[in-house]
Amino acid sequence: MESMDFHTAKALLDWQIDLGATEAIGDVPVNRFEVQLAPVKQAAAPAPASAMAAAVDPVAEAEQAARNAGSLEALQAALAAFEHCELKRGARNLVFSDGVPAARVMIIGEAPGRDEDREGRPFVGRAGQLLDRMLAAIAMSRDAARNPVYITNVLPWRPPQNRDPAPDEIAMMRPFLERHVALADPDVLVLMGNISCQAVLGKRGITRLRGQWQSAFGKPVLPMFHPAYLLRNPAAKAQAWADLLALKSKLNDG
C-alpha cells in the first residue's frame, strides 16, 4: 500500500466519520459473519412460594427438635428456637409451664391469654385464679410442697385476639407437648377444655368427654371443663366438682 501524506490521510478519516464510521479498523480484517455471539443465559425463574413451603415440614421439624430435648430446660429452649409457628411473632412471651415438674398431676390448658402472655406463665388471669381455688378444694396447689401440680398449655404463644388455635398450629405443637409429658412424667393428665382434648385425644366435645377417664401419651387422662368456661357457665361448676373428686380418688387409689 502506498504511503500517503498527513493531509490526505486526515481527509480520508474525516470522510469516513461523515459516513458514520465510529470504530477504528484493526490491522487484520474482521469477518462479521463469522463472529459468534455468546449465548444469553436466562436467569432461572424463582421457585414458587408453595414449592418452597412444601420443602419445610413444620411437624417433622417439631418432632426432631422435641426428640432431641433431653430435659425440660432443653425442651423450653427448643420451643424458643422453633421458627415455624407464626404465633411466636405476635406474642410477648413464651409460656412454657408453672408449678412443680415432679408433680403427680399435669394439667394441660389450651393457649395463653393476655395475662399469661404478659407474665410468661399459664393460668394467671381470672381463669387461673379459679383453677387455684378448684385445686385448693382438693388440697392441691401449683406451688405446694405437698400435693403439687404441674401446668402447661397446648400452645406456648398467645393466638391473636384469643382466637382458637388453628389445626396446623396444634399439629406442629403436639410433638413438643408429647415430649413435655414424657419429661415431666406425671401419674395423671388433666385436659382443660376442647383444644386440649383435640390435641391429646384427637377428639372434641368437652360436655360429652368430661369426667370420662381415657388414655393418651401412656397416661390416664381426665378431660374437664376449662375454668374460663366455668366463669361463663357457673351452673357447670357442679360437674367440675364431681371431676375434681374423681381426680382425687384416682390419686388416692394409685
Side-chain angles (χ1 to χ4, degrees), residues 24 44 65 72 79 117 134-135 140 173 187 189-191 199 243 253:
L72 290 173
L79 268 170
D117 182 41
M134 292 167 62
L135 293 172
M140 302 188 76
M173 291 297 104
D187 293 339
L189 295 177
V190 174
L191 306 182
D243 295 343
D253 292 343

Side-chain angles (χ1 to χ4, degrees), residues 8-152:
T8 302
K10 186 176 185 305
L12 288 172
L13 178 60
D14 292 339
W15 176 69
Q16 292 180 31
I17 292 174
D18 290 338
L19 291 176
T22 58
E23 296 182 5
I25 299 176
D27 295 335
V28 179
V30 178
N31 187 344
R32 299 294 180 183
F33 294 101
E34 294 180 353
V35 175
Q36 296 183 358
L37 297 176
V40 177
K41 295 182 179 180
Q42 296 184 350
S50 58
M52 296 177 65
V56 177
D57 184 345
V59 176
E61 296 273 341
E63 289 173 347
Q64 182 65 41
R67 187 163 49 246
N68 291 339
S71 66
L72 290 173
E73 293 77 14
L75 185 66
Q76 183 173 2
L79 268 170
F82 189 74
E83 297 295 337
H84 300 301
C85 185
E86 291 297 322
L87 296 178
K88 177 181 179 180
R89 289 156 179 74
R92 292 185 181 183
N93 287 299
L94 168 71
V95 180
F96 185 68
S97 67
D98 196 18
V100 180
R104 296 182 64 195
V105 176
M106 183 172 182
I107 297 173
I108 301 176
E110 299 182 339
R114 180 188 61 187
D115 296 320
E116 289 78 11
D117 182 41
R118 182 184 297 116
E119 295 192 27
R121 295 167 53 226
F123 284 98
V124 294
R126 291 182 62 223
Q129 295 167 11
L130 176 56
L131 175 61
D132 288 341
R133 294 196 296 272
M134 292 167 62
L135 293 172
I138 55 172
M140 302 188 76
S141 170
R142 70 177 78 198
D143 55 5
R146 183 172 179 270
N147 297 329
V149 298
Y150 185 58
I151 306 174
T152 190

